[in-house]
Amino acid sequence: MKNDEQDIIKRILSGKTDDFAYFLDTYGQQVFNLIVRIVRCEYDAEELTQDTFMKCFESLSSFNAKSSFSTWLYRIAYNTAISFTRKKETEVNVYDENIWNTISDTEIDDTMNDESEENIKRLQKTLSMLPPDERGLITLFYEQEKTIQEIGQILNAKESSIKVKLHRIRKKLYILMKKEEEI
């Protein structure tokens, strides 16, 4: 953790609560971007971002610096957004063993690396079909460029599990994109 952030936390815990604005300014937009990608509604994301920072502030004394502050904050944001969406979403099932097992990583890479306007639109549409936890994982890895290790800390999961999930989500996106192409 950055020493200056550790100092800011100490000041906040000693009563200088106005210093918490540093964290809002530094991480507010990134937290909002993660949450809006999961919940798909800016209004809800604004509320959940506020909830995230309130939870963070209220729990600041329990921050143990085993991970970076940002990792701890992202965990709170991710869990807040996922809890919110659990009641609302149903998963899109694309698992067909015959198709699933015949897809090569090369096919997936070729499709995902196609930057044509049509392909990007199809990708955006299929991303919105994913359940919130999968959208959150994709957002952390591809958009926020978090490492597998950081995502593991944020989600409290093993790195191997994160790698497997990312691989499966990429396959799922590929299948959904191919189905969209047929429509």
Side-chain angles (χ1 to χ4, degrees), residues 2-20:
K2 299 175 191 172
N3 285 335
D4 56 330
E5 288 186 349
Q6 201 167 7
D7 292 338
I8 292 168
I9 291 170
K10 287 177 185 175
R11 288 196 309 266
I12 294 167
L13 293 174
S14 71
K16 296 182 181 176
T17 56
D18 288 346
D19 287 356
F20 192 76

Side-chain angles (χ1 to χ4, degrees), residues 41-66:
C41 172
E42 286 190 18
Y43 176 78
D44 289 338
E46 288 171 4
E47 293 290 321
L48 293 169
T49 299
Q50 289 176 8
D51 289 351
T52 296
F53 280 100
M54 285 301 297
K55 289 175 186 177
C56 175
F57 181 79
E58 291 168 354
S59 303
L60 198 56
S61 63
S62 68
F63 175 67
N64 59 20
K66 286 183 180 176

Side-chain angles (χ1 to χ4, degrees), residues 2-152:
K2 299 175 191 172
N3 285 335
D4 56 330
E5 288 186 349
Q6 201 167 7
D7 292 338
I8 292 168
I9 291 170
K10 287 177 185 175
R11 288 196 309 266
I12 294 167
L13 293 174
S14 71
K16 296 182 181 176
T17 56
D18 288 346
D19 287 356
F20 192 76
Y22 165 82
F23 295 116
L24 293 167
D25 296 339
T26 304
Y27 299 108
Q29 189 62 50
Q30 294 169 329
V31 167
F32 173 80
N33 290 342
L34 171 63
I35 293 173
V36 77
R37 188 60 118 156
I38 294 171
V39 301
R40 297 186 294 189
C41 172
E42 286 190 18
Y43 176 78
D44 289 338
E46 288 171 4
E47 293 290 321
L48 293 169
T49 299
Q50 289 176 8
D51 289 351
T52 296
F53 280 100
M54 285 301 297
K55 289 175 186 177
C56 175
F57 181 79
E58 291 168 354
S59 303
L60 198 56
S61 63
S62 68
F63 175 67
N64 59 20
K66 286 183 180 176
S67 64
S68 69
F69 176 82
S70 63
T71 298
W72 183 69
L73 176 62
Y74 278 120
R75 179 182 295 165
I76 295 170
Y78 180 87
N79 289 335
T80 299
I82 294 300
S83 292
F84 175 81
T85 59
R86 278 205 174 109
K87 305 171 210 128
K88 295 183 171 191
E89 300 277 336
T90 57
E91 184 170 347
V92 176
N93 188 0
V94 297
Y95 188 79
D96 177 347
E97 200 165 322
N98 294 329
I99 296 172
W100 193 265
N101 292 329
T102 61
I103 301 169
S104 72
D105 289 340
T106 306
E107 287 177 274
I108 295 170
D109 290 341
D110 289 346
T111 299
M112 297 300 174
N113 293 332
D114 176 357
E115 294 184 10
S116 68
E117 187 176 330
E118 184 178 312
N119 199 56
I120 291 171
K121 284 181 183 176
R122 201 170 19 255
L123 177 60
Q124 290 297 325
K125 184 173 183 178
T126 56
L127 279 169
S128 71
M129 300 166 112
L130 294 177
D133 58 329
E134 292 178 357
R135 284 195 310 273
L137 186 57
I138 291 290
T139 300
L140 287 169
F141 188 73
Y142 289 104
E143 291 181 21
Q144 306 225 339
E145 299 179 350
K146 299 293 180 192
T147 65
I148 299 292
Q149 181 181 9
E150 289 173 313
I151 295 170

